[in-house]
Amino acid sequence: MGSLPSQTFSVEITDNHIHAGAVAVPGAQTSEWLLNSPNPPTFWEQIVGAINENAIPRSCIKNPNKKVSSLGSGKQSIFKTIVTLLQRVFPILKLARNYKASKFKNDLMAGLTLASLSIPQSIGYANLAKLDPQFGLYTSVVPPLIYAFMGSSREIAIGPVAVVSLLLSSMLQEIQDPVADPVAYRRLVFTVTLFAGIFQASFGLLRLGFLVDFLSHAAIVGFMAGAAILIGLQQMKGLLAISNFTTKTDVVSVLESVVKSVHQTWYPLNIVLGCSFLIFLLVARFIGRRNKKLFWVSAIAPLISVILSTLIVFVSRADKHGVKIVKEVKEGLNPISIHQLQLNSSTVGLAAKSGLIAAVIALTEAIAVGRSFASIKGYNIDGNKEMIAIGFMNIIGSLTSCYIATGSFSRTAVNYSAGCESVLSNIVMAITVMVTLQFFTRFLYFTPMAILASIILSALPGLVDINEAVHIWKVDKLDFLACLGAFLGVLFHSVEFGLLVAVGISFAKILLISIRPGAEEVGRLPRSDMFCNMKQFPMATKTQGFSIIRINSPLLCFANASFIRDRIMRLVEEDEDGDGIEEKTIKDHPKQLVVDMCNVMSIDTSGVIVLEELHKRLLLHGIQLSIASPKWEVIHKLKKTKFVEKIEGRVFISVGEAVDSCTGNASKFPSP
């Protein structure tokens, strides 16, 4: 028979109590573990660790002490490292392992379906950005190809989008008039695209993806809704064939321009064509949404609209009767545009500013789209890698006559519904657009502008999410305020002003929570060692002689330290009858104040000074201060400033141990 296993001891400790079933350890010993814990990593060590973790493959650091047995195995290891690095930079290389002919068939059909939607939309979005039609098509060629090699999302469809197109035209029209000098305006667009790509790639390389999160979900909902309405109003120019249309984007100026156009000469055929095909597109969209198997109906409806309307105009010669047409679309593949970048002009500062705003908006939309569909398929995408891929595709796009591209929700939904298996659907789509640019642009000459307006209008309902706005109102009123601020700012002033309002409200919310955090009184739950908020859990009871207060803030710093000190003193001085601390009976008079810092992740010098002031003020009332559940960085700074010595080492690993130690119950724990 084998020998009996030796006795082992396991301790499982949480912030507030020791789990039942674990062998208890004396409070003095756990406090000693806490006070003698090693120093946390320094700031520079954290940076180096983050770089090593994200830049060096795990296979290279998994066994750093492992010796290479031979020259051959060393070469093999180097080869594997190179392959791993290449796969990290170009995720498409991983496809070769499991890619089959059946998957390519699905990607081929998805790419062709995607192209049928992308071609008319790209032309319409170029018109929205105040560019010639071919530049929208150019943007559907190079950026998707670059992303296919560097991006990690399998479903996302890359190309121009309505919101970014409107954003560019609204910001850049104030710098350069696209009608008076279209060449200078086009150069400015390419320069802004270059800066946007640089910012996007930098965010990814420096792991600054959190900057995109400053645009909260609520702000995006409001911004998208406001932008959708503005885009729809902008299409009145094409739908009504208005000649003199305002260059401003606010709703008042646009409506004023529409009203003034009443006195101009009207061409009813534009309205008839535009409204007829708009109804057709909306019906096709409704069919595709109701029956997922008929998604292709809504996907090819824009292309069918372009073909039919072009034939109608060509056969009837409606362009001779006031119908505005696209006219010439330049043939050929993307020309090089590096010589058109304006990096030495006086507008480079404004171009950089516009590029930063456009970069954040484009990244927000792309990452939101990519993560949404990745979660459906059950895999994760790295936000920083996505930023690098999107940044490089826009940098290269700016050098090849493209403007800012990003992930489109409507086209991604079509790509997903068409059964795409990988990013090869983007390559198929880009090649199809290349073929169109090379051979079929001449057939777009008679395409009516009203059709492009109707195609854009049909895509707008997906940008207005009323149900989500109502949900935000029910869940969080401050979030809804950010949503409403973005919506009204975009609608009545400008796109960038709406963004500024949304970010401002979101920051105000963060500051309000950070500067005025909660400090709650906690009590022990019956028959447990758990300490909880007494207002949330009325059954929790106070411990005689103790006042236990929990700080609900991740930071104890210069911004909120004084507020937290005053809040704690108010809670300590409160009596059940509302009397001050001097009028308490000896029995109820608290002898100990335990500050639960389980939520505090960091503390600065102002926070330490406030704790010292709190300690002195409590001593005047005959109350001792104890600290419970301090985090790694907090206890390190409390030791550095010798605050631990000032409170005579009353630092405990949990509130329960603080109470037991101060009441003399620590001796009930057996020695390990």
Side-chain angles (χ1 to χ4, degrees):
M1 296 293 292
S3 60
L4 292 173
S6 60
Q7 186 177 6
T8 59
F9 297 89
S10 62
V11 180
E12 187 178 357
I13 301 171
T14 65
D15 287 334
N16 293 325
H17 68 287
I18 300 177
H19 276 294
V23 177
V25 180
Q29 185 169 350
T30 55
S31 296
E32 185 178 346
W33 291 345
L34 180 64
L35 293 172
N36 294 331
S37 59
N39 294 334
T42 64
F43 175 73
W44 294 112
E45 287 174 344
Q46 291 178 8
I47 291 179
V48 172
I51 293 174
N52 289 337
E53 180 181 355
N54 296 287
I56 301 176
R58 292 186 179 274
S59 59
C60 300
I61 59 176
K62 187 178 293 184
N63 297 312
N65 299 321
K66 186 177 180 180
K67 296 181 180 180
V68 179
S69 58
S70 64
L71 182 61
S73 60
K75 290 181 178 179
Q76 186 178 7
S77 177
I78 294 173
F79 176 75
K80 287 183 177 179
T81 301
I82 294 173
V83 170
T84 304
L85 286 171
L86 288 175
Q87 287 179 345
R88 287 173 65 87
V89 177
F90 303 108
I92 195 174
L93 296 177
K94 297 179 182 179
L95 282 178
R97 299 177 182 175
N98 303 316
Y99 202 71
K100 300 177 182 178
S102 59
K103 290 186 176 182
F104 177 72
K105 179 183 176 182
N106 292 336
D107 284 333
L108 178 63
M109 295 305 299
L112 293 174
T113 306
L114 196 57
S116 69
L117 176 63
S118 179
I119 291 171
Q121 279 193 351
S122 297
I123 296 173
Y125 293 153
N127 183 53
L128 185 61
K130 301 296 185 293
L131 293 168
D132 293 334
Q134 64 267 21
F135 293 102
L137 295 174
Y138 293 158
T139 308
S140 294
V141 174
V142 173
L145 290 175
I146 301 300
Y147 181 86
F149 282 90
M150 299 187 66
S152 56
S153 173
R154 303 169 196 165
E155 294 80 25
I156 195 168
I158 299 296
V161 295
V163 173
V164 175
S165 299
L166 173 68
L167 183 66
L168 280 178
S169 63
S170 65
M171 291 190 300
L172 303 188
Q173 282 182 120
E174 300 177 0
I175 305 173
Q176 186 67 56
D177 190 346
V179 177
D181 194 347
V183 175
Y185 177 80
R186 185 165 64 244
R187 290 176 176 175
L188 183 60
V189 169
F190 295 153
T191 307
V192 170
T193 302
L194 174 66
F195 279 113
I198 291 173
F199 282 122
Q200 290 167 335
S202 300
F203 290 163
L205 290 169
L206 300 176
R207 306 193 67 78
L208 300 177
F210 65 90
L211 294 175
V212 179
D213 295 332
F214 282 132
L215 275 178
S216 64
H217 172 69
I220 294 171
V221 170
F223 171 77
M224 289 294 187
I229 294 175
L230 281 186
I231 292 168
L233 292 174
Q234 289 282 336
Q235 300 317 301
M236 295 297 103
K237 177 182 179 181
L239 202 62
L240 304 177
I242 301 174
S243 300
N244 299 320
F245 200 73
T246 180
T247 57
K248 297 180 180 179
T249 57
D250 63 284
V251 65
V252 176
S253 300
V254 173
L255 289 177
E256 185 181 359
S257 184
V258 172
V259 171
K260 288 181 179 179
S261 69
V262 173
H263 304 289
Q264 300 177 12
T265 304
W266 283 64
Y267 298 100
L269 286 176
N270 287 285
I271 302 174
V272 172
L273 273 173
C275 291
S276 299
F277 281 97
L278 177 59
I279 293 172
F280 167 71
L281 290 167
L282 291 175
V283 170
R285 178 185 176 87
F286 176 77
I287 293 172
R289 290 174 68 90
R290 287 293 298 271
N291 191 338
K292 299 299 182 182
K293 294 181 179 180
L294 298 177
F295 72 91
W296 54 270
V297 174
S298 59
I300 66 171
L303 185 60
I304 292 175
S305 300
V306 169
I307 295 172
L308 289 178
S309 62
T310 303
L311 286 174
I312 291 171
V313 173
F314 176 72
V315 172
S316 64
R317 301 301 298 179
D319 57 310
K320 302 294 184 181
H321 302 283
V323 174
K324 290 194 173 183
I325 58 176
V326 172
K327 296 184 178 179
E328 184 179 0
V329 179
K330 188 176 179 181
E331 289 184 344
L333 301 179
N334 298 43
I336 300 300
S337 57
I338 186 171
H339 59 281
Q340 298 189 45
L341 298 176
Q342 297 178 319
L343 300 178
N344 297 322
S345 68
S346 58
T347 60
V348 67
L350 294 173
K353 169 195 166 186
S354 302
L356 176 60
I357 296 173
V360 172
I361 295 298
L363 281 179
T364 302
E365 182 170 359
I367 292 176
V369 171
R371 284 177 175 169
S372 297
F373 286 90
S375 64
I376 295 174
K377 284 290 189 74
Y379 69 96
N380 296 318
I381 61 173
D382 188 330
N384 290 296
K385 288 182 181 178
E386 287 294 287
M387 292 179 189
I388 294 172
I390 293 170
F392 273 99
M393 81 181 188
N394 280 317
I395 291 173
I396 298 174
S398 69
L399 309 178
T400 53
S401 300
C402 304
Y403 73 99
I404 299 175
T406 188
S408 165
F409 186 85
S410 61
R411 291 197 292 275
T412 302
V414 169
N415 195 29
Y416 171 78
S417 300
C420 73
E421 298 283 351
S422 69
V423 290
L424 284 181
S425 60
N426 271 288
I427 297 177
V428 174
M429 183 267 291
I431 293 173
T432 306
V433 177
M434 287 171 60
V435 173
T436 302
L437 275 167
Q438 190 70 31
F439 302 107
F440 299 113
T441 54
R442 69 189 71 176
F443 298 112
L444 298 172
Y445 184 92
F446 290 101
T447 301
M449 299 295 293
I451 295 303
L452 300 181
S454 64
I455 290 172
I456 294 176
L457 285 169
S458 67
L460 296 182
L463 298 178
V464 182
D465 197 340
I466 298 176
N467 292 332
E468 186 62 24
V470 172
H471 176 70
I472 292 170
W473 165 259
K474 292 179 180 178
V475 173
D476 193 322
K477 300 299 186 290
L478 282 177
D479 264 359
F480 181 78
L481 187 61
C483 176
L484 186 63
F487 176 76
L488 296 178
V490 169
L491 209 57
F492 291 100
H493 194 278
S494 65
V495 175
E496 53 267 43
F497 181 77
L499 288 174
L500 185 63
V501 170
V503 172
I505 293 175
S506 298
F507 264 110
K509 177 183 176 182
I510 295 172
L511 289 175
L512 183 64
I513 295 173
S514 300
I515 295 175
R516 294 291 184 267
E520 61 191 26
E521 190 171 13
V522 299
R524 189 193 295 264
L525 289 178
R527 299 181 301 278
S528 80
D529 287 333
M530 295 186 66
F531 290 81
C532 301
N533 186 348
M534 296 184 66
K535 291 183 178 179
Q536 183 180 0
F537 298 92
M539 72 289 299
T541 58
K542 289 185 177 181
T543 302
Q544 184 176 332
F546 283 84
S547 182
I548 306 170
I549 297 174
R550 178 179 296 153
I551 300 174
N552 288 329
S553 173
L555 298 175
L556 182 57
C557 60
F558 67 94
N560 59 18
S562 297
F563 175 82
I564 291 176
R565 176 200 59 204
D566 297 339
R567 176 69 175 154
I568 291 175
M569 288 304 302
R570 268 199 308 274
L571 289 172
V572 171
E573 293 172 356
E574 283 179 354
D575 186 50
E576 292 181 359
D577 298 325
D579 297 326
I581 190 170
E582 292 81 7
E583 300 179 11
K584 287 178 178 280
T585 64
I586 296 176
K587 181 179 179 181
D588 294 332
H589 194 295
K591 300 296 184 182
Q592 299 281 345
L593 170 66
V594 179
V595 178
D596 184 3
M597 302 184 72
C598 63
N599 296 322
V600 181
M601 305 302 297
S602 181
I603 188 172
D604 66 0
T605 52
S606 298
V608 176
I609 291 172
V610 161
L611 286 178
E612 293 174 349
E613 293 175 358
L614 181 65
H615 173 54
K616 293 176 183 177
R617 290 178 62 177
L618 290 171
L619 286 178
L620 294 177
H621 294 294
I623 301 175
Q624 289 186 326
L625 174 66
S626 297
I627 302 295
S629 309
K631 300 299 183 185
W632 199 3
E633 291 188 8
V634 174
I635 190 61
H636 174 67
K637 291 182 180 179
L638 294 182
K639 289 191 298 181
K640 280 280 188 181
T641 55
K642 301 189 183 303
F643 179 74
V644 173
E645 299 176 7
K646 294 177 183 178
I647 62 174
E648 300 176 357
R650 289 189 299 276
V651 181
F652 302 95
I653 204 166
S654 69
V655 174
E657 290 204 354
V659 172
D660 291 336
S661 295
C662 295
T663 56
N665 293 332
S667 59
K668 70 180 181 180
F669 295 110
S671 299

